[in-house]
Each structure stands twice: as structure tokens, then as C-alpha cells.
Amino acid sequence: MRPRVRLSLIGFQVRERQTNRFNPGKSIVGAHSIEEFCAKLKRPRRIMLLVMAGKPVDDFIESLLPHLEEGDIIIDGGNSHFPDSNRRTRYLKEKGIRFVGSGVSGGEEGARYGPSLMPGGNEEAWPHIKDIFQSIAAKSDGEACCDWVGDEGAGHFVKMVHNGIEYGDMQLICEAYDILKRGLGMPVNEIADVFAKWNKGVLDSFLIEITRDVLYFNDNDGTPLVEKILDKAGQKGTGKWTAINALDLGMPVTLIGEAVFARCLSAIKDERIRASSLLDGPTPEFTGDKQAFIDDLEQALYASKIISYAQGFMLIQEAAREYGWKLNKPSIALMWRGGCIIRSVFLKDITNAYRNNPDLENLLFDNFFKAAIQKAQQGWRNVVSKGALWGIPTPAFSTALSFYDGYRTRDLPANLLQAQRDYFGAHTFRIKPECANENYPEGKDIHVNWTGRGGDVSASTYVV
């Protein structure tokens, strides 16, 4: 049965050349069926699907297969979940077909002027599509924002992390807007001026730029349209996928998780309206140097963005280990420098960090970012503390700072947590190397009868 969704197929290098009246001078050939479409393509055929993620992709693959030959290439350019791309790569390889799952980011502007492309899958396909992909991709300092990412679903995995970081960036910007609006009592046009200034400094990015434009935009009555928009944020699930995968891999990608939960909180609008009349809290009242605080907020936003990207690359690094992928971190940072939604000036610094040290354990260990965080710390802490004192929620700012403080802490209170687990569930613990002795040997799973009433058998083995 033919899939009952709109067909969107791009066939590369058609045999015939025909000028489309809507695209004069372009090599476009029409086809009235999948069979005719496949027949018109040069071998190996290169076919790109741009359809809704999920079952429609599988349906179209099945519709194409009877008309393809060994060595042909199917490219999925939709927002597919990476496990689906893993499965499709393996399935099509058995049939002699090369599959590419490519993340695509850029929105309407990227569609017209060049997106960021993140291809992964069957690497044998890359030489056949490399020139095409890199020619249509966005450019940053003359380099194409497109390179081979890795095996199987690696391309869609990197796009998933990109979308998660996008969630985090947007939430951070919204929290900064809320602090300026409610904490400092600034009108929207003045907040727009702040974002316009920030877009000329370390925060120069697509999302800061569009925030400026949104805040400057007035309705027909001359008032800011943004103030009339219902405060219920939507989501399509890619941020949730990132957070779930981070939990699956045991990676503390806290900022993206908080950004997803913030959208969930926004969605219960009716309940929040009731709570606003029943629950008390402080009323923001700012005193002091307003410009100095705005400068602190800029640094807090910058530092929190660094944490978000550091967490994102931690997840990418762990995924490479877990799934056996070879991922090129400098190329990933380059792919995000132009065309995509999270493009920003400091992605060039991330690219440089990983080019200087491809084995960099954590972005925060790079000298540039270590110095940037150090410079931002005082203002960052001031903003988070003011948010708490004013009763203005800052889940993304706060979790970024908490992660930083947790990450730099040699001894966390998890020792007590593990003792609790052993007490109530006999889950065992391990002793610190410097405290090891004959009774508590190093590297062994130990259970203690904490009360004298328990047993000596552990319920499970200690797992980190």
C-alpha cells in the first residue's frame, strides 16, 4: 500500500536536464510515480526523503526498494530518532542499499541560504554525496557546515543533541528576559535594546538575534506582540529524547532536562493561575547599579551556555563509547557554527578547543573556556542568588551553576547516599582507596550489617 502522506523526494544527478519554470536555469526533472522517479536517476541513485519521522520513513523505504539496485543510496533528512536510523542502516545494508540518516537544521532561512547538515550511517555512501552536501550546506569562515558524523544513527544522534542544546539556549534566554522584565522592571523595548547589545559581544548568536527582533516587534496598536502571546510552550519531543538518552547513559545533562521540564510547567497554565492566587512569595525589588547587574546577567547567560555545550559534548562522547561510534568532535562543532538554530560566535572557540586537543576530556578543561567561566563566576552567582531572593524561577541558570559546582567538587555527599542504600537495601558500597584496610578492601563490593538486626547477604552488586 502506498504511504498516505505527501511525498517529498530529492533525487541527485538526474540523467535528463529540464528547466523548471519556477526555477529558471536549474536542473529539475519531474516524475509522476516512484517508479518513474527512480528510473530517471543516475547510478548509484541518491534519494533523499524529507517526510515526517517514524512510520512514513519506513513506508517510503519499502516503496522505493522494488525500484532500487545494489549500491543505491537512501538519505533520511527528517527529524528521525537515532535508534530508528540504527535499525534502517542495518536493514538496508542486508539488501545492498546504503542508508544515510542526516540531521538537518536551519529552519526557513537554512532552507533558502544553506542549512547545517549532519550525515551519518553507511560510510560507503559519503564519497557519493559529500560534494553535494557540502556545496548546499551553510558556510562558516569558508568551511562547509557539514561533515561525516559517524556510523548508523550518529547523524541523527548529533541532531538530537543539537535540538536539546537549542531547548537549553531558549530557556536561558527566557529566564534572562524574565529577570530583566520582573526583576529590573524594564519595559520590553529596553529589554530589546539589551539583547541588541548582547548580540554584538560574546553572546552573538542566531537565537539572541531573533530574540531582539521578537522583542522589537509591535502589534498594530503599537504594543509589543510578545506580551500578548499565551505562556504555554510547545515541544515536539527532541529535547525529551536528549534528556531520556542522557539518563540511559548516566550522563548529567541537567540543563537540557530542566529546559524540557520548564516547558512542561508552562503547559499547566490553568493550574498555575490558581496557584498564583493561593501561594505567597517575594515581590522583586531591585536596588543598586542596574547596568552592572545587566552585565552580570550577560556573563551568567554566557557561562550557562558554556555549561550546556559542555554537557552536550559529554553526552556525545559517552554515546560514542556506548554505541561504538567514531565521532569527530571538531567537525560537529563546525557543523553547528552556521546554518543551524544554535549557531553562535563561540562555537568557533569550541571548534578550536577540539582541534587543538581532539581527546579533550571536557570542554571546561580547555584554557579558553576555563578562563571564561572564571571571569563570569561572580556575576553568575549574583544572578542566581537574586533570582531566588526575588522569587523568579531560574531553573536553567541554577542547574548550570549547580552542575559546575558539583563537577568541581572532589568529594560529593554521595558517600552518605550509598550508605543509605546499603542500610535499607543491602546494595553494597566501596571504600575510598586511602581508607582501605583488611576489613574494607579496595575495589570490593561491601555490605555492612548497620543495625545488628540485618543479614550478611547483599541484595545486589554496587553499580556506578
Side-chain angles (χ1 to χ4, degrees), residues 55-210:
K55 189 173 183 296
V57 178
D58 292 318
D59 288 344
F60 272 118
I61 287 173
E62 293 303 319
S63 296
L64 287 165
L65 282 176
H67 312 292
L68 300 183
E69 300 170 1
E70 186 173 343
D72 286 345
I73 299 164
I74 296 176
I75 307 161
D76 173 19
N79 236 356
S80 291
H81 199 192
F82 78 93
D84 290 335
S85 297
N86 289 344
R87 170 177 55 79
R88 289 166 186 147
T89 304
R90 298 165 192 161
Y91 170 68
L92 289 172
K93 186 176 182 179
E94 293 175 355
K95 297 181 177 297
I97 305 298
R98 294 174 281 200
F99 178 80
V100 175
S102 180
V104 180
S105 179
E108 293 181 4
E109 187 174 331
R112 292 182 63 84
Y113 304 109
S116 168
L117 296 171
M118 301 158 246
N122 187 320
E123 194 168 359
E124 293 175 5
W126 181 231
H128 299 282
I129 66 172
K130 179 179 179 180
D131 291 345
I132 300 169
F133 265 44
Q134 293 190 337
S135 68
I136 65 175
K139 306 298 186 295
S140 177
D141 296 330
E143 295 183 272
C145 296
C146 171
D147 204 349
W148 187 252
V149 176
D151 304 323
E152 297 188 336
H156 277 132
F157 182 90
V158 167
K159 175 55 164 48
M160 179 191 75
V161 176
H162 162 284
N163 285 15
I165 291 173
E166 177 186 309
Y167 272 55
D169 276 2
M170 294 172 74
Q171 177 62 27
L172 287 167
I173 289 170
C174 290
E175 290 176 18
Y177 156 76
D178 199 18
I179 288 171
L180 292 169
K181 177 184 172 183
R182 292 201 289 150
L184 271 60
M186 294 174 63
V188 173
N189 64 312
E190 290 185 15
I191 299 174
D193 291 339
V194 170
F195 277 92
K197 182 181 178 182
W198 285 353
N199 200 49
K200 297 175 183 177
V202 293
L203 294 175
D204 178 4
S205 65
F206 175 70
L207 286 171
I208 295 289
E209 177 186 330
I210 68 169

Side-chain angles (χ1 to χ4, degrees), residues 1 29 135 178 206 280 316 342 433 456:
M1 182 180 294
V29 175
S135 68
D178 199 18
F206 175 70
D280 292 331
I316 288 170
I342 65 171
D456 296 323

Side-chain angles (χ1 to χ4, degrees), residues 422-459:
D422 190 52
Y423 185 110
F424 67 68
H427 293 301
T428 74
F429 60 87
R430 290 190 181 181
I431 204 73
K432 288 181 177 179
E434 64 270 22
C435 299
N437 56 37
E438 191 173 306
N439 293 326
Y440 303 115
E442 181 182 353
K444 299 294 184 181
D445 298 321
I446 300 166
H447 169 56
V448 166
N449 187 345
W450 295 90
T451 64
R453 300 188 303 274
D456 296 323
V457 180
S458 63

Side-chain angles (χ1 to χ4, degrees), residues 211-418:
T211 301
R212 173 203 66 192
D213 295 345
V214 166
L215 294 172
Y216 275 137
F217 191 92
N218 289 334
D219 198 359
N220 294 333
D221 61 4
T223 61
L225 179 60
V226 70
E227 295 293 277
K228 300 179 180 181
I229 296 175
L230 183 65
D231 56 317
K232 291 176 67 172
Q235 54 181 312
K236 290 189 174 180
T238 48
K240 179 181 72 175
W241 288 348
T242 313
I244 291 172
N245 183 254
L247 289 169
D248 287 341
L249 296 182
M251 283 289 102
V253 185
T254 58
L255 200 150
I256 293 171
E258 287 291 350
V260 173
F261 285 129
R263 294 196 188 192
C264 296
L265 181 61
S266 78
I268 54 172
K269 174 70 173 178
D270 293 341
E271 195 170 336
R272 287 189 292 112
I273 290 173
R274 291 191 294 275
S276 67
S277 63
L278 296 172
L279 305 178
D280 292 331
T283 300
E285 185 177 344
F286 178 78
T287 58
D289 186 333
K290 185 167 77 170
Q291 185 55 53
F293 185 81
I294 292 173
D295 292 342
D296 283 350
L297 185 57
E298 180 182 21
Q299 289 299 310
L301 184 51
Y302 183 44
S304 298
K305 278 171 61 71
I306 292 172
I307 295 297
S308 183
Y309 283 78
Q311 290 182 351
F313 276 96
M314 287 170 68
L315 182 58
I316 288 170
Q317 193 165 279
E318 183 62 23
R321 281 195 290 263
E322 178 70 18
Y323 306 130
W325 295 338
K326 295 178 182 178
L327 301 184
N328 188 332
K329 287 181 284 187
S331 292
I332 292 169
L334 171 63
M335 281 182 262
W336 292 348
R337 273 167 54 183
C340 67
I341 304 303
I342 65 171
R343 62 184 182 269
S344 65
V345 68
F346 95 117
L347 272 161
K348 185 174 183 179
D349 300 313
I350 296 179
T351 305
N352 291 337
Y354 283 118
R355 281 180 173 170
N356 293 335
N357 182 6
D359 298 320
L360 184 66
E361 186 177 2
N362 191 292
L363 197 60
L364 298 175
F365 294 170
D366 176 74
N367 288 335
F368 176 87
F369 289 106
K370 189 165 62 173
I373 289 284
Q374 183 58 37
K375 179 182 177 183
Q377 262 198 77
Q378 184 175 347
W380 193 12
R381 295 184 188 281
N382 185 32
V383 167
V384 171
S385 61
K386 281 291 195 299
L389 291 171
W390 289 338
I392 297 176
T394 57
F397 278 129
S398 299
T399 198
L401 183 58
S402 291
F403 169 85
Y404 176 75
D405 284 335
Y407 190 65
R408 68 180 185 85
T409 299
R410 181 184 177 89
D411 292 310
L412 289 168
N415 55 323
L416 175 58
L417 190 152
Q418 196 58 32

